[in-house]
Amino acid sequence: QVQLVQSGAEVKKPGASVKVSCKVSGYTLTELSMHWVRQAPGKGLEWMGGFDPEDGETIYAQKFQGRVTMTEDTSTDTAYMELSSLRSEDTAVYYCATMVMDYWGQGTLVTVSS
Amino acid sequence: DVVMTQSPLSLPVTLGQPASISCRSSQSLVYSDGNTYLNWFQQRPGQSPRRLIYKVSNRDSGVPDRFSGSGSGTDFTLKISRVEAEDVGVYYCMQGTHWPRATFGQGTKLEIK
């Protein structure tokens, strides 16, 4: 059984960066392709990007290009999503999920406020 | 990008009655391998999304058989045969055909009348 456990809530000021982690257990990270989805308060789900195993590259939604970086540490089976130049509109719950979206993390609330 | 359009956006249902949610895509979701990668998710209040249906009509493990998915091409439907109290939440369709760029529908909020 795959489990994805994310890091805790964060409060950041506008212009700062945030890095959210997603620890995998039950499988190794190399067996999965991690993706990230966010959900602003009261809003729907928004795909941010993820690893494409066919090309061996990480693909980002155009909206986040240049501001987001998704990385993996296979030695600890942990995936990371870093979002920079934060603004108030980035306040959201950030989820990691497997590529086919059959397993999700519990979500990490990131609040951007001055 | 592929646009996913759900209707209705709000769905009040009486307990024990059926419910149906429509999802339409702006492009065909038939992939070159012949499969159609259309998923349905349930998000209960305060919880992470949970996948219910994959490839149009396949129920995930543990999903009650009152949930069913159907459709083809650009037109898909999620049906609940008899709504129960635990079904309250928001339902999303998602296309995985034009991968790796996933696209979600806006969500349909199911509530009990």
Side-chain angles (χ1 to χ4, degrees):
Chain A
Q1 182 83 349
V2 176
Q3 278 199 313
L4 307 178
V5 179
Q6 298 183 223
S7 48
E10 302 260 14
V11 179
K12 295 292 183 181
K13 293 197 182 303
S17 296
V18 68
K19 192 170 186 177
V20 178
S21 68
C22 173
K23 167 77 174 167
V24 175
S25 62
Y27 272 72
T28 64
L29 194 50
T30 52
E31 296 175 290
L32 306 172
S33 297
M34 204 59 61
H35 284 239
W36 293 84
V37 175
R38 80 174 186 180
Q39 186 172 37
K43 302 296 185 182
L45 301 171
E46 180 176 31
W47 177 79
M48 298 181 68
F51 186 73
D52 179 4
E54 286 195 14
D55 290 345
E57 295 183 353
T58 300
I59 305 295
Y60 302 120
Q62 191 165 4
K63 176 177 180 176
F64 301 103
Q65 285 275 4
R67 280 210 303 145
V68 69
T69 305
M70 296 172 188
T71 56
E72 296 181 348
D73 182 346
T74 54
S75 68
T76 60
D77 287 319
T78 304
Y80 298 92
M81 186 284 300
E82 184 170 22
L83 188 63
S84 62
S85 302
L86 289 170
R87 33 209 189 229
S88 58
E89 310 89 86
D90 294 318
T91 294
V93 175
Y94 291 77
Y95 295 100
C96 59
T98 56
M99 185 178 75
V100 294
M101 308 283 181
D102 53 349
Y103 293 98
W104 293 65
Q106 83 275 21
T108 296
L109 174 62
V110 175
T111 302
V112 183
S113 174
S114 53
Chain B
D1 285 356
V2 180
V3 177
M4 305 297 289
T5 304
Q6 289 183 228
S7 63
L9 299 185
S10 177
L11 184 56
V13 184
T14 300
L15 285 173
Q17 292 301 301
S20 179
I21 300 170
S22 170
C23 175
R24 290 184 172 162
S25 59
S26 61
Q27 301 176 35
S28 173
L29 298 187
V30 180
Y31 190 54
S32 54
D33 63 3
N35 288 308
T36 300
Y37 295 95
L38 186 283
N39 300 331
W40 287 97
F41 295 85
Q42 174 194 61
Q43 188 176 30
R44 290 172 171 153
Q47 295 188 12
S48 300
R50 167 199 183 195
R51 197 180 71 178
L52 297 176
I53 303 280
Y54 62 96
K55 286 195 286 185
V56 181
S57 59
N58 297 275
R59 268 190 308 275
D60 272 280
S61 175
V63 174
D65 61 7
R66 63 179 182 275
F67 289 92
S68 64
S70 63
S72 62
T74 61
D75 209 341
F76 305 93
T77 303
L78 175 70
K79 289 183 179 175
I80 309 173
S81 58
R82 294 172 307 279
V83 169
E84 297 189 6
E86 65 178 18
D87 300 335
V88 165
V90 182
Y91 292 80
Y92 297 91
C93 60
M94 186 211 84
Q95 69 82 19
T97 292
H98 301 273
W99 201 252
R101 301 181 188 281
T103 321
F104 291 93
Q106 318 98 299
T108 295
K109 186 173 184 178
L110 186 149
E111 61 180 21
I112 304 299
K113 273 186 193 174

